[in-house]
Amino acid sequence: MALATGPRPPPLLLPSKAINIPNPPSFDPHSRILISLKQCTHISQLKQIHALTLRSTSPYHPKTFFLYSQLLHFSSLLDSNYALQLFNQIQNPNSFMWNTLIRACANDVNNKDQAMRLYLEMLEQALVSPDKHTFPFVLKGCAYLFDVSEGIQVHAHALKHGFGSDVYVNNSLIHFYASCGFLDLAEKVFVKMPERSLVSWNVLLEGFVQFGKFNSALNLFREMRNTFDPDGYTLQSILTACAGLGAFSLGAWVHAYLLKKCDFNLSIDVFINNSLVDMYCKCGSLELAHQVFKRMPKRDLTSWNHMIRGFAMHGQAEAAIRCFDKMIRTERFRPNSITFTGVLSACNHKGMVSDGRLYFDMMVTDYKIKPALEHYGCLVDLLARAGFIDEALDLVSTMPMRPDAVIWRSLLDACSKKNSSVELSEELARQVVESEGDIGSGVYVLLSRVYASASRWDDVGSVRKLMTDKGVKKEPGCSSIEMDGVAHELFAGDTSHPQTKEIYQMLKVIDKKLESVGYSPDYSQAPMIDELNETKQHSLKLHSERLAIALGLLKLQPGKPIRIFKNLRVCNDCHQVTKLISRVFNVEIIVRDRARFHHFKDGFCSCSDYW
């Protein structure tokens, strides 16, 4: 082996406190340097050891090659750029050295593209063949860079070199395809694996969760339980899936499993507990989320952000602000942009306009955080829904970025509720169309409400015809309710549920009880045409959340909350009906709609009728 050294640097002295190199006569220079490497913790120390190696060892000694492989290994852990320089001085590096450097580059956010270049150089030189350690490192770099074409070629190389059955290579392939969004290919690799490890399951689970395939993740988890017990990575992915689906029962089971079956250190792990807080918040149990949060022995900024956002989505604006104040004043955490999204969202859900302006200014002035689109979106929606539509429009006109369709829709929604001018609403609808391109039914529904409020029924009919001509269908309302760990989906007017007959009989019981307490329907958000009241009322009765509530009253034990998750915002009439049902039937009903949570109890809602 030959080493390119160049001019020798002046002698460098190693700090005696940092590196202790034994010097008994029985130790040769190679042994002493290897011991010093194991004590090395900083790149400056390693550079001194490298200099000592150049001065005190012969490049032709048989032990020097191994010594340089260890130097390369330790330098790769401290500074990948220095490792690259060191690697270039070594002639005929072996596979361990190539793999060490490829791994260092794959793990370095600034050098991930270098991993593929090194792999190609390794193939071009053809002196060393890639092994089962090479491919996982290269694929990791491809996954980070979303380099699909290169990754597919690496997959072909792995098969060509006979590693098609290797569990580690296949795990890396699953991660690569899943990270790049090719879940079908990731699953295909997984299915074909002759042998799987727990990592194999975890990587595919994480891929499903990352791209919102929550049902697929839960199905895979149930299958995995036949072979492996879950670890921390499994539980974190499943908790995220439960949060996305509102699967409270399974999320609570995971929590119980964690406390009973897992290591104590895992049960207090900050990442796991953050996932529990987020899961309970999104499954409608703010109380349990807060319990987990308060009992955490250690919290990070994400913990506080989850709790602030949880209070916000449940309409507990004052609690969200108290949590924020404690975070910055008592715990001395510095908020980030996510923190202020939560705080502004809390102000929005409660209509706290002055506070919203205050915290927006605090974010910009005190913490020098550049507002992102979501911050402007929160403030615009807050101002518009509170009736400050002109101020909201002024804010939109001065934003440093182009407003998206969400902002234009929030303005249009506010106009439809505040009976603003038809001309303004039409202009906002045009902006939604231009911003979104292939739009859904939402903008048409909002515009039709504006026309209906102005009794312009011909224009309402024109909107309906335009939807028909463009093939746009109104998004059907869908509500899910979980019972005994099984989620039941019900659509508006649904007759496909196995217990449809009992559900509709229960609806009649509900109607009679509502009539006895003086319920009067609110037709303001009924169908988009000027129908007879009887037709509108029939349509309102069959909204999906009412069917879900009826099923819950039929099947859930008395005293157990009814938890419902809806894909659309709750309409005015259903909101009023649910309040009355909570009082008449003495039941707590928790509804998560597209925007937030509503807690109905004793005839009242946590949103105070502001949503």
Side-chain angles (χ1 to χ4, degrees):
M1 182 192 74
L3 298 171
T5 60
R8 292 200 175 189
L12 297 174
L13 298 178
L14 297 172
S16 58
K17 291 184 180 180
I19 302 292
N20 181 22
I21 303 179
N23 197 24
S26 60
F27 273 65
D28 61 26
H30 300 86
S31 300
R32 298 200 331 265
I33 292 171
L34 284 173
I35 292 174
S36 69
L37 274 173
K38 293 177 181 179
Q39 300 176 20
C40 180
T41 59
H42 195 272
I43 189 64
S44 61
Q45 297 171 343
L46 188 133
K47 289 178 179 179
Q48 294 177 72
I49 295 171
H50 184 195
L52 180 64
T53 303
L54 291 171
R55 291 199 307 269
S56 60
T57 63
S58 167
Y60 305 104
H61 193 284
K63 290 184 178 181
T64 302
F65 191 76
F66 175 74
L67 179 57
Y68 266 84
S69 72
Q70 294 304 297
L71 266 171
L72 184 66
H73 167 68
F74 284 100
S75 66
S76 71
L77 301 176
L78 298 172
D79 187 333
S80 61
N81 287 319
Y82 190 78
L84 279 166
Q85 296 177 26
L86 179 59
F87 180 81
N88 290 330
Q89 296 178 5
I90 303 173
Q91 290 186 359
N92 301 325
N94 59 19
S95 61
F96 173 84
M97 293 177 174
W98 282 101
N99 290 342
T100 296
L101 195 59
I102 291 172
R103 179 183 61 185
C105 293
N107 289 333
D108 186 345
V109 68
N110 297 315
N111 263 332
K112 289 188 181 289
D113 56 339
Q114 187 69 30
M116 176 55 72
R117 285 198 286 269
L118 283 165
Y119 173 68
L120 294 175
E121 184 180 344
M122 180 185 188
L123 296 178
E124 287 172 4
Q125 291 189 11
L127 299 174
V128 177
S129 296
D131 57 28
K132 68 177 184 179
H133 302 291
T134 312
F135 295 106
F137 301 148
V138 179
L139 288 166
K140 184 176 182 179
C142 292
Y144 181 86
L145 296 170
F146 298 102
D147 199 337
V148 179
S149 61
E150 297 283 11
I152 291 174
Q153 292 181 62
V154 174
H155 187 178
H157 289 176
L159 295 175
K160 181 180 178 181
H161 284 84
F163 295 108
S165 300
D166 185 83
V167 65
Y168 302 105
V169 173
N170 280 309
N171 288 347
S172 299
L173 284 167
I174 295 170
H175 174 260
F176 159 70
Y177 283 123
S179 298
C180 294
F182 292 90
L183 294 176
D184 54 337
L185 295 179
E187 193 170 7
K188 188 175 181 180
V189 172
F190 177 84
V191 169
K192 287 186 175 181
M193 288 178 70
E195 177 190 358
R196 301 186 190 115
S197 65
L198 179 57
V199 174
S200 315
W201 295 88
N202 282 345
V203 172
L204 187 57
L205 271 173
E206 184 184 5
F208 282 141
V209 170
Q210 181 184 355
F211 286 92
K213 303 290 185 181
F214 301 131
N215 279 316
S216 298
L218 296 189
N219 291 334
L220 186 68
F221 173 68
R222 294 185 182 100
E223 185 182 348
M224 187 203 83
R225 294 276 286 124
N226 296 325
T227 311
F228 291 98
D229 289 328
D231 64 1
Y233 294 104
T234 317
L235 297 180
Q236 199 166 350
S237 292
I238 293 305
L239 286 171
T240 303
C242 291
L245 290 172
F248 175 82
S249 298
L250 181 57
W253 178 89
V254 171
H255 192 186
Y257 181 92
L258 180 70
L259 296 175
K260 292 179 181 178
K261 301 284 188 179
C262 295
D263 180 80
F264 173 75
N265 290 330
L266 185 60
S267 68
I268 64 171
D269 179 79
V270 66
F271 299 108
I272 291 289
N273 279 288
N274 286 347
S275 296
L276 280 169
V277 171
D278 188 47
M279 182 275 295
Y280 279 127
C281 284
K282 291 178 178 176
C283 288
S285 184
L286 186 63
E287 182 180 356
L288 287 176
H290 199 205
Q291 283 183 18
V292 173
F293 177 79
K294 288 189 294 185
R295 292 174 183 172
M296 289 176 68
K298 181 183 177 183
R299 304 185 192 107
D300 60 9
L301 181 59
T302 301
S303 315
W304 291 94
N305 285 346
H306 279 328
M307 200 67 249
I308 291 169
R309 187 170 56 185
F311 282 128
M313 73 172 69
H314 285 267
Q316 303 292 328
E318 295 83 0
I321 289 172
R322 285 196 300 271
C323 189
F324 173 75
D325 287 340
K326 184 176 180 181
M327 185 193 88
I328 61 173
R329 302 185 195 284
T330 306
E331 302 296 331
R332 301 293 181 182
F333 278 94
R334 184 176 180 85
N336 61 9
S337 63
I338 297 172
T339 315
F340 279 102
T341 300
V343 173
L344 291 170
S345 177
C347 296
N348 187 16
H349 288 320
K350 208 71 174 180
M352 299 164 60
V353 176
S354 298
D355 294 274
R357 294 187 186 115
L358 173 69
Y359 286 112
F360 191 90
D361 290 340
M362 179 190 295
M363 176 181 68
V364 176
T365 305
D366 296 349
Y367 292 99
K368 312 301 180 188
I369 297 173
K370 186 178 180 181
L373 192 60
E374 56 265 27
H375 301 116
Y376 283 108
C378 282
L379 190 56
V380 167
D381 194 40
L382 168 62
L383 293 168
R385 292 202 300 132
F388 298 93
I389 293 178
D390 289 339
E391 184 179 347
L393 289 169
D394 288 341
L395 180 61
V396 169
S397 67
T398 58
M399 284 168 47
M401 71 280 292
R402 183 183 177 87
D404 64 356
V406 175
I407 288 179
W408 292 120
R409 275 203 308 270
S410 68
L411 285 165
L412 179 57
D413 185 38
C415 287
S416 70
K417 291 178 179 177
K418 298 298 180 182
N419 296 323
S420 295
S421 72
V422 174
E423 291 75 16
L424 175 59
S425 299
E426 289 174 332
E427 172 59 24
L428 292 172
R430 187 180 65 81
Q431 293 289 352
V432 174
V433 173
E434 288 184 359
S435 300
E436 202 169 38
D438 184 19
I439 62 173
S441 63
V443 62
Y444 295 105
V445 173
L446 290 173
L447 187 57
S448 72
R449 287 178 186 162
V450 172
Y451 289 138
S453 298
S455 297
R456 289 172 52 172
W457 299 109
D458 289 342
D459 289 326
V460 173
S462 298
V463 171
R464 170 65 65 89
K465 185 178 184 302
L466 184 61
M467 289 177 65
T468 303
D469 293 343
K470 289 182 172 290
V472 177
K473 294 184 179 180
K474 186 177 182 295
E475 184 179 359
C478 176
S479 295
S480 66
I481 178 171
E482 186 188 32
M483 297 186 297
D484 299 324
V486 178
H488 299 256
E489 277 193 345
L490 295 145
F491 288 86
D494 201 346
T495 57
S496 62
H497 193 275
Q499 294 171 294
T500 292
K501 185 176 179 181
E502 294 93 329
I503 291 172
Y504 279 77
Q505 287 175 345
M506 190 64 202
L507 285 176
K508 291 179 181 179
V509 173
I510 292 172
D511 289 343
K512 288 182 180 179
K513 294 242 183 182
L514 293 180
E515 288 175 8
S516 68
V517 296
Y519 158 67
S520 177
D522 179 351
Y523 301 127
S524 63
Q525 291 175 302
M528 297 188 298
I529 55 176
D530 187 17
E531 296 173 330
L532 297 174
N533 285 350
E534 292 83 359
T535 306
K536 291 184 176 182
Q537 186 172 2
H538 180 72
S539 174
L540 290 170
K541 287 179 181 179
L542 301 184
H543 280 189
S544 62
E545 62 266 51
R546 298 203 196 182
L547 302 179
I549 290 171
L551 182 60
L553 290 172
L554 277 169
K555 296 299 179 182
L556 290 175
Q557 296 177 356
K560 192 172 183 180
I562 297 175
R563 303 175 191 275
I564 295 170
F565 298 86
K566 184 174 181 179
N567 63 331
L568 304 176
R569 280 197 177 192
V570 175
C571 74
N572 294 340
D573 187 67
C574 286
H575 193 267
Q576 177 64 18
V577 164
T578 309
K579 286 196 298 181
L580 291 173
I581 292 174
S582 72
R583 175 163 62 87
V584 172
F585 289 87
N586 191 27
V587 62
E588 181 182 3
I589 304 172
I590 301 167
V591 179
R592 186 178 89 179
D593 69 5
R594 179 175 281 178
R596 59 177 298 167
F597 274 95
H598 299 261
H599 292 253
F600 299 92
K601 191 173 183 180
D602 300 326
F604 297 94
C605 180
S606 58
C607 74
S608 301
D609 298 339
Y610 186 88
W611 81 98

